[in-house]
Amino acid sequence: ITDSNHHRILIARPEGAIEGVIGSGAAGFADGPFENATFNHPQGTALDGEILYIADTENHAIRAANLRTRQVTTVLGTGRQARQSNEAGRGKSVDLNSPWDLLVHAGKLYIAMAGAHQLWVADLVTWEARPYAGSGREARIDGPLASAALAQPSGLTTDGKKIYFADSETSSVRWADLGNPGQVGTLIGEDLFEFGDRDGTRPHARLQHPLGVTFEGGLLYVADTYNSKIKIIDPARGASVTFAGTGKHGARDGKLAEATFNEPGGLAFLNGQLYIADTNNHLIRVIDLASKQVRTLPVR
């Protein structure tokens, strides 16, 4: 669990018992043992074996937490925000720009580089890093990977063929092909300042500043953040439907249609349960897909 404003990561059992903490809780940019390492408003993570990669957003860096040795190291980023676009680099010598979420696939680390309006990719062995999709222009323009335009990409997920991402500033959910040459396309969403709360297909459907996406059972689950809802998008049909939440701010558990959230951000599946970072409620909420009930995780 990324406890962003406490500058740390919590390691918890599925029922909520905390087993460990990564980070001292102070804002900073220090490597070292879990209890001494520091972060600055970290966001998304990606687990690869015993290594948890962390998007250390306001340090403009990617950190690696070794769950066996309990050590944190910096693998990408100088700690400085990149001022030039499209400048590739390696390891701790490359400047990044507000990395928000991470995805590990086939020996590569894909990065939602929100500040640069791009997706980046890094080799997990050499740590060579470069832009993967997006020209750096802020817009919703589909097309070839390098010339497409994105707008503050945030959450990442994959079905093994495409990367799906929440393109927050265009209130869109979009995709980028895995592998070159490739394309960027849009499932739901229109452009900057085109937002709302409508189910359906393009161009009728609307989201509002989605931040989190995850792929499960052939469907995309979306944290429709500013609508305070969880939605489902069927990639095959390009259709969006409300899954949970009334749209009103609150923290009510219970039936999907009656539950309330407050600007949910991240999503993750575990053992048939959808875990939700209910950001402005400072809670972790859980949806059981079998019972179709929402509950609050008792973090302790």
Side-chain angles (χ1 to χ4, degrees):
I1 301 168
T2 308
D3 190 10
S4 298
N5 282 358
H6 284 146
H7 314 290
R8 62 182 185 169
I9 312 295
L10 303 180
I11 303 170
R13 300 291 300 171
E15 66 274 10
I18 296 172
E19 291 194 338
V21 179
I22 306 172
S24 71
F29 189 33
D31 291 342
F34 281 5
E35 58 270 21
N36 297 334
T38 53
F39 303 87
N40 193 348
H41 294 92
Q43 293 289 340
T45 63
L47 185 63
D48 184 31
E50 295 180 328
I51 306 298
L52 181 70
Y53 294 107
I54 301 162
D56 194 4
T57 303
E58 294 192 17
N59 277 327
H60 310 289
I62 307 301
R63 318 288 294 281
N66 188 308
L67 302 182
R68 180 178 56 83
T69 64
R70 298 178 56 82
Q71 295 283 321
V72 173
T73 57
T74 301
V75 292
L76 276 179
T78 61
R80 300 184 302 268
Q81 185 176 18
R83 297 303 180 185
Q84 303 294 324
S85 62
N86 298 317
E87 288 197 356
R90 182 176 183 177
K92 293 191 286 184
S93 66
V94 60
D95 290 338
L96 308 181
N97 193 342
S98 299
W100 194 274
D101 199 15
L102 306 173
L103 171 69
V104 172
H105 178 76
K108 307 289 185 184
L109 182 71
Y110 293 88
I111 305 165
M113 203 72 74
H117 310 299
Q118 293 176 315
L119 304 185
W120 276 49
V121 63
D123 187 280
L124 288 175
V125 176
T126 67
W127 289 110
E128 296 285 345
R130 60 174 176 82
Y132 179 76
S135 64
R137 176 183 175 183
E138 184 180 15
R140 192 203 62 79
I141 300 175
D142 294 338
L145 291 174
S147 59
L150 320 181
Q152 197 180 306
S154 300
L156 298 176
T157 191
T158 185
D159 63 356
K161 297 178 181 179
K162 299 179 186 294
I163 298 172
Y164 295 99
F165 60 97
D167 203 38
S168 300
E169 285 296 301
T170 60
S171 295
S172 301
V173 173
R174 305 176 68 189
W175 53 265
D177 285 323
L178 280 167
N180 284 305
Q183 298 282 316
V184 172
T186 302
L187 288 173
I188 297 291
E190 295 306 308
D191 214 332
L192 294 165
F193 315 116
E194 292 279 348
F195 57 85
D197 185 8
R198 292 203 300 257
D199 292 346
T201 58
R202 290 189 68 199
H204 173 81
R206 290 288 188 276
L207 309 171
Q208 188 172 3
H209 204 87
L211 286 177
V213 292
T214 190
F215 184 82
E216 181 75 12
L219 299 172
L220 285 167
Y221 292 78
V222 181
D224 192 5
T225 304
Y226 284 6
N227 285 325
S228 293
K229 289 183 175 181
I230 308 302
K231 293 187 178 177
I232 292 176
I233 296 176
D234 182 344
R237 297 178 52 239
S240 169
V241 64
T242 297
F243 178 60
T246 67
K248 295 181 179 180
H249 292 172
R252 185 169 63 227
D253 290 339
K255 297 178 182 179
L256 296 179
E258 299 172 358
T260 54
F261 306 90
N262 194 346
E263 297 192 4
L267 302 175
F269 267 98
L270 181 64
N271 300 330
Q273 313 276 314
L274 178 63
Y275 287 78
I276 302 161
D278 195 7
T279 303
N280 279 4
N281 278 327
H282 312 286
L283 297 172
I284 302 300
R285 314 289 293 284
V286 187
I287 296 177
D288 183 278
L289 295 192
S291 67
K292 295 182 169 53
Q293 294 284 316
V294 178
R295 61 186 174 88
T296 298
L297 189 71
V299 178
R300 60 191 185 277

